[in-house]
Amino acid sequence: MQKTTTAFYQPNYAYFVTIWSWIGFVYTLALIVQLELINLNWQSWGIGLIAVWLTLWVIFGHRVSMTADVITLKRPVFKYNRTINRETTTTIIVQKHGLLIKTNELDYQPEQILLSRKAKQAFIKQLKQNGWPIEE
């Protein structure tokens, strides 16, 4: 039986900063609406609930799972998951806050995933055990 390691991740820095900036904007909009209308109102509650929902969607929507031969990236916006096979991977570079996965697939750029410290160590351990091309 193959061992599967699963964790939540955030995509590359540019996407990460863009998405969280927009979510911060929605929270700020809820605050501005609340302050402008003085009394507690349904508009600011609605915008605040949308912001909380977006936060949870972004945090729990990005999942990465790895087996011996395949890394699967689930993204909340995209219909299909990104699958990275060991045969197409040229190198996996360990970075300070995550991994940079380079492949020889022409359709994709290198995939950067930001992980927690614990998840990163678990992934590195499994990558080494299964013979993936990893550079530390």
Side-chain angles (χ1 to χ4, degrees):
M1 187 169 129
Q2 288 185 345
K3 180 183 175 189
T4 303
T5 304
T6 304
F8 296 111
Y9 79 98
Q10 290 296 309
N12 63 31
Y13 289 110
Y15 184 83
F16 176 82
V17 168
T18 304
I19 289 299
W20 286 106
S21 296
W22 277 106
I23 291 173
F25 171 75
V26 175
Y27 276 111
T28 305
L29 181 65
L31 179 66
I32 290 170
V33 168
Q34 177 60 46
L35 292 174
E36 285 295 325
L37 298 176
I38 299 179
N39 296 329
L40 194 59
N41 55 61
W42 66 270
Q43 293 95 342
S44 61
W45 277 96
I47 296 170
L49 288 174
I50 289 170
V52 169
W53 180 80
L54 284 173
T55 301
L56 295 174
W57 186 52
V58 168
I59 290 173
F60 296 117
H62 291 93
R63 283 190 304 270
V64 59
S65 61
M66 186 177 78
T67 61
D69 298 324
V70 176
I71 297 174
T72 305
L73 301 173
K74 187 197 178 303
R75 302 170 184 170
V77 178
F78 299 101
K79 184 176 180 181
Y80 299 107
N81 298 336
R82 165 87 194 273
T83 304
I84 302 169
N85 295 315
R86 183 171 34 180
E87 294 82 30
T88 61
T89 304
T90 56
T91 185
I92 298 174
I93 301 169
V94 177
Q95 296 179 327
K96 183 177 182 181
H97 298 291
L99 303 171
L100 179 66
I101 304 169
K102 294 184 178 182
T103 64
N104 57 8
E105 297 172 325
L106 298 176
D107 295 341
Y108 296 104
Q109 294 180 356
E111 191 72 49
Q112 183 180 28
I113 57 174
L114 307 173
L115 299 163
S116 67
R117 189 175 306 135
K118 183 179 175 183
K120 183 175 126 182
Q121 294 305 320
F123 271 84
I124 290 171
K125 181 180 175 185
Q126 188 170 354
L127 287 168
K128 286 180 180 178
Q129 287 176 352
N130 295 320
W132 287 73
I134 187 166
E135 293 178 14
E136 288 194 70

